[in-house]
Amino acid sequence: MAHTIRDIATALGAQAEGDLDLLVSRAAEPQAAGPGDLALAMDPKYAEGLAQGQARVALLWPGADWRALGLEAAIFAPRSRLAMAGLSRMMDAGPEIAPGIHPSAVIDPTAHIAPDAAIGPFVVIGAGATLGPRARIASHVSIAEGATLGSDAMILQGARIGARVTIGDRFICQPGAVIGADGFSFVTPERSGVEEIRATLGQREEIRQQSWTRIHSLGAVTIGDDVEVGANACIDRGTIRDTVVGSGTKLDNLVHLGHNVQVGRDCLLCGQVGVAGSSRIGDRVVLAGQCGVSDNIFVGDDVIAGGATKIFTNAPAGRVLLGYPAVKMETQVEINKALRRLPRLAATVAELQKIVSKL
Amino acid sequence: MAHTIRDIATALGAQAEGDLDLLVSRAAEPQAAGPGDLALAMDPKYAEGLAQGQARVALLWPGADWRALGLEAAIFAPRSRLAMAGLSRMMDAGPEIAPGIHPSAVIDPTAHIAPDAAIGPFVVIGAGATLGPRARIASHVSIAEGATLGSDAMILQGARIGARVTIGDRFICQPGAVIGADGFSFVTPERSGVEEIRATLGQREEIRQQSWTRIHSLGAVTIGDDVEVGANACIDRGTIRDTVVGSGTKLDNLVHLGHNVQVGRDCLLCGQVGVAGSSRIGDRVVLAGQCGVSDNIFVGDDVIAGGATKIFTNAPAGRVLLGYPAVKMETQVEINKALRRLPRLAATVAELQKIVSKL
Amino acid sequence: MAHTIRDIATALGAQAEGDLDLLVSRAAEPQAAGPGDLALAMDPKYAEGLAQGQARVALLWPGADWRALGLEAAIFAPRSRLAMAGLSRMMDAGPEIAPGIHPSAVIDPTAHIAPDAAIGPFVVIGAGATLGPRARIASHVSIAEGATLGSDAMILQGARIGARVTIGDRFICQPGAVIGADGFSFVTPERSGVEEIRATLGQREEIRQQSWTRIHSLGAVTIGDDVEVGANACIDRGTIRDTVVGSGTKLDNLVHLGHNVQVGRDCLLCGQVGVAGSSRIGDRVVLAGQCGVSDNIFVGDDVIAGGATKIFTNAPAGRVLLGYPAVKMETQVEINKALRRLPRLAATVAELQKIVSKL
């Protein structure tokens, strides 16, 4: 679908110059842009790419001389990634899901489906489930009994929404995500080795045979508005109360949230992050890829953790963390420097010992 | 479904006092409990919550004065999580899967399906597959040719059971789990860089181009009784012999078991644990979230590893491990303390050097 | 299906001796081999197993005395895993997917399907999608609008191929893999805490509320020839250009490739590896299980990283890496040795301090 430069600039709240009636139907990297594309060149380093490509119009850095760059029009982006957000939203056709309900879908007669919902092939919707206005449900999705989704849900191929899960408006669920699997909660009749070493940090008295009895998950999952869940990510149900994900929070692919976990608002949990059972994550927390959070701890508001940080203990609000185990990022940076010199340090100490023993 | 206090106490093997004919239909946290709920207050710290809620009956810590807490009846739980196991089992309605075989299911005429099996929409069952009594198979599941499941299997939405996989009784499979994908096994015509650095721990003579030839997986997967596999977890088939998971073992979400892996009985492998090809895990091993086990090693019986422990070498029975690379947990705790002081230690050594050189 | 020893030896390019007309239909471990099996005993340590089993013919180490081992014929394997590749390929029946298109499949009339494709139950293929010759598509797979697959594709149960994804010949996709989910890309209207600490390595001026605006993914995924993707692995689409996986590269289960990532040719990315957005991986790179690669960095050709290595900065070609953060493997081995002695080193330094202060 084509847009005029004027319309795009208006949508982005951005300045534009030149022939504002030019139409573009696609965004492209500068060197790959054709004459009908909008080239993305929000930094002077892309000027050369523009010369190689065939773009007549570009999204440029503020102050760029668009005429000298050989363009016929330009939009100016003071914050380039923010401009990308607006532009990509305009240009995203979204998944093709035909309007109406595909005849192969199996929908319980007691489910409440908004009349304008689009439901693809082989979808299963259980008893009493609710789908709000403008829902788009791709093929192979299952939405179990009693689950409730707000307006504008987009649930992609093969995602699983479990029984009695409650989800707010504008939910985006990538393919294969599982929301509402049972929690991983088991107990031994007598005190287990795990319970013992948690108390002793490693000492065990006596090892005896033990097998595991299952604690069933009676709770569900409650998710706020404007949440996105990545491909093949997993959010387990709570044991009694619901597992909770706050509004505005985004989960990347293969993220794991254990039972009873509570994640606040506007968090980012990047690829392969894992949060163990019953931990609480505050608001605006950012956990980079492969971070881990132990069970039953609290990570305060605005905490940011670098890649693969493993958080074993409560983290105060605003703390910036790195490492295994997690410490303040600046401390970890110092430790890492010292670590690289550690073999040399050990040699120095051995040398000093020799000298001092002679003295 | 409602239960009397008497029935619940009997099922838990627990003491109860007060009006044992009271009916409850739901378990709830103390402050959220309504008059028809059983409040869960197995620790004195929940007494205040009880006062805020409306419960008439609760599961209490031993010795609690239930009348003073304003209750009409109480059950006493000496081991609270064990009581939760029994109680949650009674109250778990389980997934809604209609009795019989859904007309959309595609079942090979040579498959053996117990007459009381419940099979949901869009299930596919291959030639010669066997499903034991009381199997419950949710929507979108595939069970490939020659796979065998014992009694009381519960296979949830979209799980994949591969060809010739053998599984015991009471198997629980969470949504999206894949049992019996092909192993990740490749070989280069000549010695690869990986083979070289395994021998030299990092030295390489000469780097040459190489591409990978696939070793197909002819084995399958054998799983014992009372096993549970988490959402989107993956267990690969063996190359010649089967990959094995022993009875009573539980795998959490997103766990990965490579080809030929053997896991013993009554193990817990928590979220996102990975075990590389051909490694053996003993009985009653507990690996906390995000642990990793290298290929071709042995982890002895009763080993417990803390969160994100990476095990590169054989671990003797009963060892408690932590760290990357894994060492004894108490050693790692000492190392972690020393690490936080490492930058200071380096400064001290530099200072000593100066002093000693003056001497 | 049975093969003569002669045929197998020819297929492997290997020497054989004895009765070359003997037929075998299965490969087996030596002690488990029956009289119709080919025993796998490519190392003298398996001689004992051969004596326990009933094999009449075996794949043996070069120079083995097959008559003394009680065999009637033998094939000799100078490089045992390479022989396994050829042998397992011959003996792998592959998944049972009936020829033709299952009547339940929902295929858009504008899709281009090679006439010899085999398509299982409940498959969905979108508008304009292309499937090359000899494609085998197992049950529950979805191939979205405009996706293109070359010849000999094998797409296993429930895998998801996203819109406009382009894939070469001989692609193997294990169950549940998701190719072409949306990228995880969000921006705040004003500079975020993450942007700030990337610049300062941990310092934050002021913490303010922020919420995330989505950057949609307009790109797709381009995959070369001879690529394999593991179960429940995820490859995200690019923002503007495509995410790219080069020919000959193999991805294991639960691997995550973020948006815009470029992986070269003939790489191995083992179980649970994660590569964050916009990073580039060279050719013939091997990342062992649970490795992580930060966003926007470059990992050179022929890099090999040991288990759970976390790569935060550019890595030069040929480098062998280990650790968190990644350093040269030999450096990490030295660091690990020194770490185990670190508590003792600290005590030694304290002792030295005492002595020196007396001096």
Side-chain angles (χ1 to χ4, degrees):
Chain A
M1 189 190 158
H3 305 269
T4 64
I5 299 308
R6 181 178 292 105
D7 287 349
I8 294 173
T10 305
L12 303 190
Q15 299 282 323
E17 295 179 12
D19 181 355
L20 303 189
D21 294 318
L22 272 176
L23 282 166
V24 291
S25 56
R26 217 179 59 119
E29 300 200 327
Q31 70 285 359
D37 294 343
L38 175 66
L40 303 175
M42 285 93 97
D43 187 287
K45 71 182 172 190
Y46 296 119
E48 205 182 336
L50 272 178
Q52 293 161 15
Q54 300 181 280
R56 296 159 65 201
V57 52
L59 192 59
L60 293 178
W61 64 97
D65 182 349
W66 55 275
R67 284 186 194 85
L69 291 164
L71 299 170
E72 298 170 32
I75 305 170
F76 297 97
R79 185 157 163 77
S80 62
R81 281 170 54 82
L82 190 62
M84 272 303 300
L87 181 68
S88 65
R89 187 178 175 185
M90 286 184 81
M91 298 211 163
D92 184 5
E96 279 187 14
I97 307 173
I101 298 177
H102 192 276
S104 66
V106 172
I107 300 184
D108 190 278
T110 63
H112 312 275
I113 313 283
D116 56 359
I119 297 183
F122 309 128
V123 167
V124 175
I125 301 185
T130 299
L131 265 186
R134 295 172 299 281
R136 285 177 294 165
I137 313 296
S139 71
H140 301 99
V141 165
S142 56
I143 299 177
E145 59 273 15
T148 301
L149 288 107
S151 67
D152 301 284
M154 182 171 82
I155 314 290
L156 294 171
Q157 291 83 355
R160 312 283 159 215
I161 312 293
R164 296 174 298 284
V165 166
T166 306
I167 300 177
D169 294 336
R170 293 172 297 282
F171 182 59
I172 298 177
C173 189
Q174 297 294 330
V178 176
I179 298 175
D182 292 326
F184 191 74
S185 190
F186 297 92
V187 59
T188 48
E190 308 196 358
R191 195 190 194 213
S192 71
V194 173
E195 290 169 83
E196 187 175 357
I197 66 148
R198 273 178 191 259
T200 63
L201 293 182
Q203 296 293 341
R204 293 182 71 178
E205 290 272 315
E206 182 205 358
I207 292 172
R208 66 171 91 75
Q209 301 233 353
Q210 55 189 10
S211 70
W212 300 99
T213 302
R214 188 175 203 256
I215 297 178
H216 291 241
S217 296
L218 305 178
V221 179
T222 295
I223 292 180
D225 296 327
D226 299 297
V227 169
E228 177 160 354
V229 173
N232 286 341
C234 299
I235 307 177
D236 279 359
R237 14 191 3 100
T239 306
I240 297 297
R241 65 167 189 264
D242 283 8
T243 300
V244 176
V245 177
S247 291
T249 285
K250 320 294 184 184
L251 271 55
D252 198 356
N253 298 345
L254 297 167
V255 164
H256 162 69
L257 300 187
H259 57 283
N260 302 336
V261 163
Q262 295 183 49
V263 179
R265 300 173 63 102
D266 296 319
C267 297
L268 288 190
L269 274 58
C270 299
Q272 300 174 319
V273 161
V275 182
S278 300
S279 281
R280 284 180 301 142
I281 311 284
D283 296 335
R284 297 173 301 281
V285 169
V286 178
L287 303 179
Q290 301 186 332
C291 281
V293 177
S294 283
D295 58 293
N296 289 288
I297 64 170
F298 177 65
V299 175
D301 293 343
D302 300 293
V303 163
I304 299 179
T309 295
K310 309 300 180 187
I311 307 177
F312 285 88
T313 52
N314 293 342
R319 185 58 57 88
V320 181
L321 295 170
L322 186 66
Y324 170 35
V327 295
K328 279 188 186 178
M329 186 177 280
E330 48 202 5
T331 306
Q332 188 66 49
V333 169
E334 286 306 304
I335 290 173
N336 290 347
K337 275 183 209 160
L339 264 177
R340 276 190 293 271
R341 296 186 204 118
L342 181 59
R344 192 141 48 90
L345 183 72
T348 304
V349 171
E351 191 63 30
L352 275 172
Q353 252 186 320
K354 255 191 243 169
I355 296 169
V356 168
S357 72
K358 275 179 201 159
L359 291 171
Chain B
M1 188 191 160
H3 305 270
T4 63
I5 298 307
R6 180 178 292 106
D7 287 349
I8 294 172
T10 304
L12 304 189
Q15 300 280 324
E17 296 180 11
D19 181 355
L20 303 190
D21 294 317
L22 271 175
L23 282 166
V24 291
S25 56
R26 217 179 61 119
E29 300 202 327
Q31 70 285 0
D37 294 343
L38 176 65
L40 303 174
M42 285 92 97
D43 189 285
K45 72 182 171 190
Y46 296 119
E48 205 182 336
L50 273 178
Q52 292 160 15
Q54 301 181 279
R56 295 161 64 203
V57 51
L59 192 59
L60 292 178
W61 65 98
D65 182 349
W66 55 276
R67 283 186 194 86
L69 290 164
L71 299 170
E72 298 171 31
I75 306 170
F76 297 96
R79 185 157 162 75
S80 62
R81 281 171 54 82
L82 191 61
M84 272 303 301
L87 181 69
S88 65
R89 188 179 175 185
M90 285 183 82
M91 296 211 164
D92 184 4
E96 280 188 14
I97 307 173
I101 298 177
H102 193 276
S104 65
V106 172
I107 300 184
D108 191 277
T110 64
H112 313 275
I113 313 283
D116 56 358
I119 297 182
F122 309 129
V123 166
V124 175
I125 301 185
T130 299
L131 265 186
R134 294 173 299 280
R136 286 176 294 165
I137 313 296
S139 71
H140 302 98
V141 165
S142 56
I143 300 176
E145 59 273 14
T148 301
L149 288 108
S151 67
D152 300 285
M154 182 171 83
I155 314 291
L156 294 172
Q157 291 83 355
R160 312 284 159 214
I161 311 293
R164 296 173 299 283
V165 166
T166 306
I167 299 177
D169 296 336
R170 293 172 297 283
F171 182 58
I172 298 177
C173 189
Q174 297 294 330
V178 176
I179 298 175
D182 292 328
F184 190 74
S185 189
F186 297 92
V187 61
T188 48
E190 307 196 358
R191 195 192 194 213
S192 71
V194 174
E195 290 169 83
E196 187 177 355
I197 65 147
R198 274 178 191 259
T200 64
L201 292 182
Q203 295 294 340
R204 294 182 71 177
E205 290 272 314
E206 181 205 358
I207 291 172
R208 65 171 92 73
Q209 300 233 354
Q210 55 188 12
S211 70
W212 301 99
T213 303
R214 187 175 204 256
I215 298 178
H216 291 241
S217 297
L218 305 177
V221 179
T222 296
I223 292 180
D225 296 327
D226 299 296
V227 169
E228 178 160 354
V229 173
N232 287 342
C234 299
I235 306 176
D236 278 359
R237 13 191 4 100
T239 306
I240 297 298
R241 65 167 190 264
D242 283 8
T243 300
V244 176
V245 177
S247 291
T249 285
K250 320 293 183 183
L251 271 56
D252 198 356
N253 297 346
L254 298 165
V255 163
H256 163 69
L257 301 187
H259 57 284
N260 302 335
V261 163
Q262 295 183 49
V263 180
R265 301 174 61 103
D266 296 318
C267 296
L268 288 191
L269 273 60
C270 300
Q272 300 173 319
V273 161
V275 182
S278 300
S279 280
R280 284 180 300 143
I281 311 284
D283 296 336
R284 296 173 302 280
V285 169
V286 178
L287 303 179
Q290 301 187 332
C291 281
V293 177
S294 282
D295 59 293
N296 288 288
I297 65 170
F298 178 65
V299 175
D301 293 343
D302 299 292
V303 164
I304 299 179
T309 295
K310 309 301 181 186
I311 307 177
F312 285 87
T313 53
N314 292 342
R319 186 57 59 88
V320 181
L321 295 170
L322 186 66
Y324 171 36
V327 295
K328 278 188 187 179
M329 185 176 283
E330 48 202 6
T331 306
Q332 189 65 49
V333 168
E334 287 306 305
I335 290 173
N336 290 348
K337 273 183 211 159
L339 264 177
R340 275 191 292 271
R341 295 186 205 117
L342 181 59
R344 192 139 48 90
L345 183 74
T348 304
V349 171
E351 191 63 28
L352 275 171
Q353 252 185 321
K354 255 191 242 170
I355 296 169
V356 168
S357 73
K358 276 179 201 160
L359 293 170
Chain C
M1 189 193 160
H3 305 270
T4 64
I5 298 308
R6 180 177 293 105
D7 286 350
I8 294 172
T10 304
L12 304 189
Q15 299 281 323
E17 295 180 12
D19 180 355
L20 303 189
D21 294 318
L22 272 175
L23 282 165
V24 291
S25 56
R26 217 179 61 119
E29 300 202 326
Q31 70 284 0
D37 294 343
L38 176 65
L40 303 175
M42 286 92 97
D43 189 286
K45 72 181 172 191
Y46 296 120
E48 204 183 337
L50 273 177
Q52 293 161 14
Q54 300 181 281
R56 295 159 65 202
V57 52
L59 192 59
L60 293 177
W61 64 97
D65 182 349
W66 55 275
R67 283 185 194 87
L69 291 164
L71 299 169
E72 298 171 33
I75 306 171
F76 297 97
R79 184 157 163 78
S80 62
R81 281 170 54 83
L82 191 60
M84 271 304 299
L87 181 68
S88 64
R89 189 179 174 183
M90 286 184 81
M91 297 210 161
D92 184 4
E96 280 188 14
I97 307 173
I101 297 178
H102 193 276
S104 66
V106 172
I107 300 184
D108 191 278
T110 64
H112 312 274
I113 313 282
D116 56 359
I119 297 182
F122 309 129
V123 167
V124 175
I125 300 185
T130 300
L131 265 186
R134 295 172 300 281
R136 286 177 292 164
I137 313 296
S139 70
H140 301 98
V141 165
S142 56
I143 300 177
E145 59 274 14
T148 301
L149 288 107
S151 68
D152 301 284
M154 182 170 83
I155 315 291
L156 294 172
Q157 291 83 355
R160 313 282 159 216
I161 311 293
R164 297 174 297 284
V165 166
T166 306
I167 300 177
D169 295 336
R170 294 171 298 281
F171 181 59
I172 299 177
C173 190
Q174 297 294 331
V178 176
I179 298 175
D182 292 327
F184 190 73
S185 190
F186 297 92
V187 61
T188 49
E190 307 195 359
R191 195 191 196 213
S192 70
V194 173
E195 289 169 84
E196 188 176 357
I197 66 147
R198 273 179 191 260
T200 63
L201 292 182
Q203 295 294 341
R204 294 182 71 176
E205 289 271 315
E206 182 205 357
I207 291 172
R208 67 172 91 73
Q209 300 233 352
Q210 55 188 11
S211 70
W212 301 98
T213 302
R214 188 176 203 254
I215 298 178
H216 290 242
S217 297
L218 305 177
V221 180
T222 296
I223 293 180
D225 297 327
D226 299 296
V227 169
E228 178 160 354
V229 173
N232 287 341
C234 299
I235 306 177
D236 278 358
R237 14 191 5 100
T239 306
I240 298 298
R241 65 167 190 265
D242 283 8
T243 301
V244 176
V245 177
S247 292
T249 285
K250 320 292 184 185
L251 272 54
D252 198 356
N253 298 346
L254 297 167
V255 164
H256 162 70
L257 299 187
H259 57 283
N260 302 336
V261 163
Q262 295 183 49
V263 180
R265 301 173 62 102
D266 296 320
C267 296
L268 288 190
L269 273 59
C270 300
Q272 300 173 319
V273 161
V275 181
S278 300
S279 281
R280 284 180 301 142
I281 311 284
D283 296 336
R284 296 172 302 279
V285 169
V286 178
L287 303 179
Q290 301 187 331
C291 280
V293 177
S294 283
D295 59 294
N296 288 288
I297 64 170
F298 178 64
V299 176
D301 293 344
D302 300 292
V303 163
I304 299 179
T309 295
K310 310 300 181 186
I311 307 177
F312 286 87
T313 53
N314 292 343
R319 185 59 58 87
V320 181
L321 295 170
L322 186 66
Y324 171 34
V327 295
K328 278 187 185 179
M329 185 176 282
E330 47 202 6
T331 306
Q332 189 65 50
V333 168
E334 287 306 305
I335 290 173
N336 290 347
K337 274 183 210 158
L339 264 178
R340 276 191 292 270
R341 296 187 205 117
L342 182 59
R344 191 139 49 91
L345 184 74
T348 304
V349 171
E351 190 63 28
L352 274 171
Q353 253 186 319
K354 254 191 243 169
I355 297 169
V356 168
S357 73
K358 276 180 200 160
L359 291 172

